Amino acid sequence: MARTDPHAVLLHKFADRSAHIAILGMGYVGLPLAVAFAEAGFTRVTGLDIDAGKLAALQRGESYVEDISAERVARIVGVNLFTSSDFDATLASADVAIICVPTPLNKTRDPDIRALTAASEAIARALHPGMLISLESTTYPGTTDELLRPMFEARGLRAGQDFFLVFSPERIDPGRKDFVVETTPKIVGGVSPACCEVGVALYRQAIRSVVAVSSSQAAEMSKLLENTFRAVNIALVNEIALMCDKLGIDVWEVIDAAATKPYGFMKFTPGPGVGGHCIPLDPHYLSWKLRTLNYNARFVQLADEINSGMPAYWVGKVQDALNEHEKAIKGSRVLVLGVAYKKDIDDVRESPALDIIELLRQKGARVSYHDPHVPRIDHGGVTLRSEPDLAAALDAADCVVVVTDHSAYDWPAIARQARLVVDTRRALPRA
Ligand code: SAJ
C-alpha cells in the first residue's frame, strides 16, 4: 500500500505509537481506556469531556474513577495524557476518536442518544482522511452503520477507504480487580472488513485479547446479549424467590443446592431489584430497536417487569413483619441498610433502594438509611443523609431492611442488635 494510503498510514502510526488518540467522554469507561493507551506508549492521548471538573481533576493529577489511581494519572498527565474541552480543535488533529459517552434511557424508557449524537456530530465536523472512529457506548444494533456512517460519509469521505468506523463495546466493571480494561477481551466489529482490521490493530496495542466479528451490528448485539443475559437470569431467580415464598421453601438453600451442579448452571441471587447503569437499561435498547421492526422482545419486557416489581415485594415484607409485631407501617421507624446498587460501591444510579425508600415513605413509614459508601441521596425531591451512628440507628429502628450487603457491615452484630430485620440479600447469618 502507498505510504499515503490512509489504511497503511494509520497502521504505521499505531505501530510506532505516534497516532493521536482522542477519547470523547472521560467517565468510568473513557478514563481507564485513555490511561491504557497512554501507558501502552502512545505519545498523545487527549481526553475530551464537557465536564470541566473532570478535566481539572485530571490536570491536577487526581482521579475520580476508583479503578484508576491518582498516581497513575499523575505519572502521565501532561506527558502523554492531555485533556481538553475543545472538541473541534482536538478532533481536527486526531487520528483516532473513541466515543465513550453515556447512553441512558429517557423518561419513557426509550434510548436517549443525545450525547452520542452530539459526539458524532463533533467528529463529523472535524472528519478528515485517515481517521478511525470507534463507538464504545452501549446502543441499539444498527447505530454505527445506520446513524454514524451516513453522518460521516455526508462529508464526502468513504468508510473503509478514507476513514474507518467500528463498534467496540465497553466491558468496564467498576471496582472489579480480576479483569481490567487491558485484560478483558475486546470485541471489534467494523462497517467494512478494512474498518475492522484497522480497529483491531488499534486495540491490540493496549489490550491483550481482541476479537473481530463480521459487522458493527454483531458487535452491538453481542454487548446487548451480555447484559440482557444478566437481566433475564436475575429476573428468573427473583421469580424463583417469589415462588419459593409461596411454597414455603428457602430459596437460598435451593440456589445453593443447584449451584453444586458443576456444569450447565450459573448462580444468580435474588435481591431487592436491579440497579446500575447497565443491566436495567441496556436491554431496553434492544427491545426499542425490535419494536421498530414490529417484534416484541418478550424476555426483556418480562425481566424488567419482574425486576422492577421487587422493591414493592420487599416493602410488602416490611409491612408484614411489622404487622407480626402489631405495628402499622405508618409511623414506624424503618432503617434501610445500604443504598448503593450493589455491594462495596458508592453508585446509587437506578438503585432499588431508592424505590424501596420511596414506597416506604408513601406508606407513611419514617425512613432513614445508613450506607458507609453513600453519605447522601437526593431522590424524588427528598434529600436524606446516611445515619452518622449505626448503633443508635439500629436501636431506634422498629424494622431494619437490608438492601445492599456491603462487606463493611458486621452482620452478626447487626443481627444481635436489630429488633426486627427484613433481609433482601441473605446478608445476615441464618437465624
Ligand atoms: N444482581 C442481583 N442478582 C445477581 C446479580 C446482580 O440482584 O445475581 C443485581 C445487583 O445487585 C445490581 C444489578 O443486579 O443491582 C446489576 O448487577 P451486576 O452484577 O450486573 O453489576 P453491574 O450493573 O455493575 O454490571 C456490570 C456489567 N458490566 C458491563 O456492562 C461492562 C455486567 O456486564 C457485568 O457482568 C457485571 O458488572 C459484573 O459481572 O459485575
Side-chain angles (χ1 to χ4, degrees):
M1 288 179 191
R3 294 288 288 185
T4 56
D5 172 80
H7 189 148
V9 168
L10 264 181
L11 296 186
H12 183 72
K13 285 184 172 182
F14 294 164
D16 71 3
R17 302 289 196 278
S18 63
H20 175 198
I21 299 174
I23 310 272
L24 290 83
M26 290 294 278
Y28 77 91
V29 174
L31 177 56
L33 191 64
V35 170
F37 280 116
E39 289 179 346
F42 281 87
T43 54
R44 193 176 170 202
V45 179
T46 303
L48 287 165
D49 206 294
I50 58 174
D51 180 345
K54 285 190 169 75
L55 302 181
L58 295 174
Q59 282 302 337
R60 292 193 301 270
E62 297 167 9
S63 173
Y64 43 81
V65 169
E66 64 175 304
D67 301 342
I68 300 295
S69 69
E71 292 70 30
R72 290 176 69 185
V73 173
R75 258 200 306 272
I76 54 180
V77 72
V79 177
N80 54 343
L81 173 65
F82 304 92
T83 66
S84 174
S85 58
D86 188 340
F87 284 65
D88 292 349
T90 301
L91 292 167
S93 68
D95 300 300
V96 177
I98 304 179
I99 305 172
C100 302
V101 297
T103 47
L105 297 180
N106 61 26
K107 291 196 183 329
T108 56
R109 291 180 83 71
D110 291 322
D112 175 358
I113 58 168
R114 285 174 297 173
L116 166 54
T117 305
S120 305
E121 286 167 348
I123 295 169
R125 285 196 301 273
L127 190 70
H128 49 269
M131 273 187 93
L132 164 65
I133 302 101
S134 175
L135 173 56
E136 293 216 356
S137 308
T138 303
T139 183
Y140 59 83
T143 305
T144 309
D145 201 43
E146 298 163 17
L147 179 71
L148 271 63
R149 178 177 188 164
M151 205 184 280
F152 298 150
E153 292 193 323
R155 309 291 292 177
L157 299 176
R158 289 150 304 171
Q161 294 181 45
D162 304 314
F163 70 92
F164 305 92
L165 177 59
V166 300
F167 182 81
S168 181
E170 59 90 2
R171 281 176 161 174
I172 303 285
D173 179 22
R176 181 176 286 273
K177 303 286 184 253
D178 51 356
F179 289 98
V180 293
V181 62
E182 296 87 347
T183 56
T184 304
K186 199 81 162 71
I187 304 296
V188 177
V191 300
S192 78
C195 294
C196 184
E197 186 186 336
V198 172
V200 166
L202 168 76
Y203 282 109
R204 278 216 170 111
Q205 309 302 325
I207 296 174
R208 265 184 225 165
S209 167
V210 180
V211 179
V213 294
S214 64
S215 66
S216 58
Q217 291 90 340
E220 290 158 336
M221 190 66 180
S222 68
K223 171 66 179 180
L224 292 172
L225 170 58
E226 287 169 16
N227 284 358
T228 302
F229 164 79
R230 288 186 73 75
V232 167
N233 279 284
I234 294 165
L236 169 63
V237 80
N238 277 329
E239 186 167 42
I240 294 290
L242 301 180
M243 296 177 190
C244 285
D245 190 18
K246 292 282 184 201
L247 293 166
I249 298 170
D250 177 349
V251 66
W252 292 97
E253 180 187 18
V254 165
I255 291 168
D256 288 346
T260 60
K261 184 178 179 186
Y263 55 87
F265 183 78
M266 184 172 176
K267 181 176 179 179
F268 286 86
T269 53
V274 171
H277 40 277
C278 302
I279 308 309
L281 307 184
D282 294 350
H284 288 276
Y285 271 75
L286 182 57
S287 55
W288 176 84
K289 174 67 178 179
L290 272 295
R291 272 201 303 278
T292 69
L293 301 171
N294 296 321
Y295 184 86
N296 176 26
R298 285 157 290 178
F299 269 110
V300 171
Q301 314 292 7
L302 178 57
D304 187 53
E305 185 184 311
I306 292 172
N307 291 332
S308 303
M310 295 311 286
Y313 167 78
W314 284 109
V315 168
K317 286 296 178 187
V318 170
Q319 191 156 15
D320 295 347
L322 287 165
N323 193 48
E324 283 303 304
H325 289 69
E326 296 172 0
K327 284 183 183 288
I329 194 168
K330 188 169 186 176
S332 287
R333 292 160 301 181
V334 179
L335 174 68
V336 171
L337 279 194
V339 293
Y341 79 81
K342 68 178 184 181
K343 73 177 183 180
D344 302 340
I345 64 170
D346 62 2
D347 193 342
V348 297
R349 282 178 290 181
E350 304 291 321
S351 175
L354 302 177
D355 298 320
I356 288 173
I357 288 170
E358 195 167 337
L359 291 168
L360 287 167
R361 291 171 55 85
Q362 286 170 8
K363 288 183 177 293
R366 295 154 58 191
V367 187
S368 59
Y369 87 90
H370 178 278
D371 188 313
H373 301 274
V374 183
R376 163 185 167 154
I377 53 174
D378 299 286
H379 182 68
V382 174
T383 295
L384 290 177
R385 294 182 188 288
S386 179
E387 289 295 314
D389 180 339
L390 176 58
L394 290 169
D395 279 342
D398 297 308
C399 181
V400 174
V401 52
V402 176
V403 178
T404 311
D405 47 340
H406 291 306
S407 305
Y409 282 125
D410 178 349
W411 295 111
I414 289 169
R416 287 192 300 273
Q417 202 177 341
R419 60 174 59 88
L420 179 62
V421 182
V422 171
D423 185 357
T424 75
R425 299 281 194 172
R426 194 185 56 177
L428 274 65
R430 310 318 307 256

